[in-house]
Amino acid sequence: MITITHSAGQYPIHFTSLTQALQSLPQDAVVLTDENVFTAWKGQLSQVPNVCRIEPGEGSKSFERYREVLSWMAKSGCSRRTTLVALGGGVIGDLGGFCAASYMRGIPFVQIPTTLLAQVDSSVGGKVGIDLPEGKNLVGAFYPPHAVHVPSEALSTLPDRQLRNGMAEVWKYGYILDAPLVDCLTRTDVRDDLQPIVQRCIQLKAEVVEADEFEKLGIRAKLNFGHTVGHAIEQVLRYEEFLHGEAIAIGMVVEARLGESMRITAPGTASVIEAQLKTAGLPTTWSGLQNPDPLIAAMRRDKKAHSGQLAFSLLTQIGECKLVENVAEGEVRSALLNS
Amino acid sequence: MITITHSAGQYPIHFTSLTQALQSLPQDAVVLTDENVFTAWKGQLSQVPNVCRIEPGEGSKSFERYREVLSWMAKSGCSRRTTLVALGGGVIGDLGGFCAASYMRGIPFVQIPTTLLAQVDSSVGGKVGIDLPEGKNLVGAFYPPHAVHVPSEALSTLPDRQLRNGMAEVWKYGYILDAPLVDCLTRTDVRDDLQPIVQRCIQLKAEVVEADEFEKLGIRAKLNFGHTVGHAIEQVLRYEEFLHGEAIAIGMVVEARLGESMRITAPGTASVIEAQLKTAGLPTTWSGLQNPDPLIAAMRRDKKAHSGQLAFSLLTQIGECKLVENVAEGEVRSALLNS
């Protein structure tokens, strides 16, 4: 178990099985999940009386779905004391978390992340929210869960592409905070035993979010390495073609190149990262980078940007990074065109 | 100035003029207001570059308007550092507050309440939110403002009905917490000098919300005297016919009667309250009370209700109250039918 401390208390992260996680829930808990997860875990879920199933995919982090889930909660008689459980990947966790944060001004919330991406990233740290047509995660809250249950067996049914998707964030933790983790990832086939990797990533994230819960000190923003470009790619593609981790993989290569050209990142880092991510089966470039304008426009709407000034989490070397604000547009344009 | 302390800090309540309040805002602040307030204060507002105007009325505390304002903020280039200013009554404050609470997971928020109701009630305490078709304020947050500016001259342009609307909450403060305030209201024409009354009510509310910011201890719920019935009336009437304070005035009479029949409220209190509110030009009954079923159904969805059990803030005597849970439906039905 890992415990996360935040401004209003603490919450535990349990490493457990799905069956155990479901058994530990309060009797009147309601579960939000998607059709895919529901199909995969139908047996276990048959004991839960109130399950709300939505369509899988980033498209469900929408206002329409947010409103539907809230109406479903009201119609199901959810009170202030009802626990909402988000069982699924990052979309379910983010959407469910924002529903829990705002329904009756906040009800108990439990995360059971079933994808590698959600386990190592979105289920920890209390960030919840939905997308606007104007940008990803533009609406949401900092709302720590009451507990996170990380079910290891969930990863066994995950398609390969979804595993690689999560691995992109695992590599990111190594690049920004933990050079030994990068070494480990290059030397072994981590899929044989993901559990220690998941725990290491959660530990790394826990330390960062405890130091800067509300993303005000420039510490938490470091986790955004690859994300300024990655989010922009996702937005330009309307969340089609690439999964989040895939867009972030491309973003990490571009941002490593940007860091090198700005003399912030050690020379040669971008090529190393590019080769490692390629070997990991992740995309490292995209033809749309040759059309920088819409990407830069999206970056100016990034939450790290102030008054439209571009901001990036850039590596100094593998295992270390820092937040860099007011990056010149020309630098970003070159990095995109050279990637 | 009054200072309110909450879990994450403090905020000041300034008693000031609208001109001074607007001058004190950061340069890049954006203002949310309604068409009526905009028309009334056009001159002062001409200096503010970014003003979002919406239709007046409770109907604007809707998902549609929430979404529109957020999109407007994104299109106007609001960043995490932009201050959103809610200039208007309770609807503007509640809607604007929820936009500020959730835009980019929370941006600075300033309240400038222009109605008596908003000045003595909704602008203080950090409750923000919108309505669902299933119930009032079902979606929202506890989001303390960074500052509240209470402009006294705003009340001078307020129509009589709006003033009486706010006075209903003023009477409520007297009934639940401050018998001398009730005396004062019966003896003098408070409209001659509302400022001390407004300050007294804010002081009373400040003490309550400081003691129970997140409405978890049954202390803050006391402020809901008249509101269990009042909200139900508003909901059954779809927020038409009665203004909030008018519905609450009827609710206070019904709930005083309920308290008397349950031997919680001193005998004779309901008649006293009924006479005082009548003299104040407020409604004290409504023909729809004779049809209790839809009202009771609405009360079971009230945020104070748990597992559908009815809960009320009931007076013990004028100037004192307590939260009473698990009230029998038959008692509520009788109180409605006898009012």
Side-chain angles (χ1 to χ4, degrees), chain A residues 61-63 66 95 98 128-132 136-140:
Chain A
K61 268 179 69 173
S62 66
F63 247 92
Y66 172 54
L95 171 67
F98 190 41
V128 296
I130 55 175
D131 303 331
L132 281 188
K136 198 172 150 82
N137 295 323
L138 267 191
V139 182

Side-chain angles (χ1 to χ4, degrees), chain B residues 283-302:
Chain B
T284 54
T285 188
W286 169 55
S287 59
L289 302 181
Q290 300 310 308
N291 180 20
D293 288 346
L295 292 167
I296 288 171
M299 290 178 212
R300 290 198 188 284
R301 290 191 299 268
D302 187 273

Side-chain angles (χ1 to χ4, degrees), chain B residues 66-312:
Chain B
Y66 172 54
R67 187 189 171 141
E68 276 170 31
V69 175
L70 290 167
S71 287
W72 175 83
M73 290 167 75
K75 283 180 193 133
S76 305
C78 290
S79 82
R80 275 185 183 169
R81 293 181 192 171
T82 305
T83 298
L84 177 69
V85 182
L87 173 70
V91 168
I92 291 294
D94 286 5
L95 171 67
F98 190 41
C99 290
S102 54
Y103 184 76
M104 295 194 174
R105 300 197 182 91
I107 63 170
F109 175 52
V110 168
Q111 293 255 28
I112 309 181
T114 59
T115 64
L116 178 57
L117 185 65
Q119 291 186 357
V120 298
D121 185 22
S122 55
S123 67
V124 174
K127 276 194 188 181
V128 297
I130 55 175
D131 302 331
L132 282 188
E134 288 83 9
K136 199 172 149 84
N137 294 324
L138 268 191
V139 182
F142 290 96
Y143 195 69
H146 287 58
V148 182
H149 301 272
V150 181
S152 54
E153 83 271 40
L155 303 185
S156 66
T157 61
L158 214 57
D160 268 6
R161 189 180 172 195
Q162 286 291 347
L163 264 186
R164 290 195 299 267
N165 184 34
M167 284 306 294
E169 293 279 0
V170 173
W171 283 99
K172 183 202 75 178
Y173 284 110
Y175 293 145
I176 63 172
L177 294 167
D178 193 357
L181 175 59
V182 175
D183 276 352
C184 162
L185 295 174
T186 51
R187 276 185 288 105
T188 54
D189 186 356
V190 291
R191 293 192 200 183
D192 296 344
D193 189 7
L194 273 167
Q195 199 66 354
I197 303 282
V198 169
Q199 295 201 16
R200 178 72 190 137
C201 292
I202 291 178
Q203 189 60 56
L204 288 167
K205 178 151 186 187
E207 285 162 19
V208 171
V209 301
E210 284 184 346
D212 183 16
E213 183 181 355
F214 299 112
E215 209 162 33
K216 286 196 169 157
L217 310 174
I219 300 169
R220 190 164 179 165
K222 289 183 185 176
L223 295 170
N224 259 241
F225 175 55
H227 283 62
T228 310
V229 170
H231 281 163
I233 293 172
E234 287 184 280
Q235 214 182 315
V236 166
L237 285 170
R238 294 165 186 272
Y239 307 100
E240 289 166 14
E241 192 168 334
F242 293 123
L243 298 173
H244 177 69
E246 294 168 345
I248 267 48
I250 301 168
M252 289 194 283
V253 175
V254 175
E255 294 184 14
R257 212 151 267 152
L258 172 67
E260 283 189 39
S261 78
M262 292 176 73
R263 296 175 189 273
I264 288 168
T265 306
T269 307
S271 314
V272 170
I273 289 180
E274 188 177 13
Q276 287 171 338
L277 295 176
K278 229 179 231 170
T279 308
L282 286 159
T284 54
T285 188
W286 169 55
S287 59
L289 302 181
Q290 300 310 308
N291 180 20
D293 288 346
L295 292 167
I296 288 171
M299 290 178 212
R300 290 198 188 284
R301 290 191 299 268
D302 187 273
K303 287 195 290 302
K304 293 186 293 305
H306 297 298
S307 316
Q309 296 301 305
L310 301 167
F312 292 84

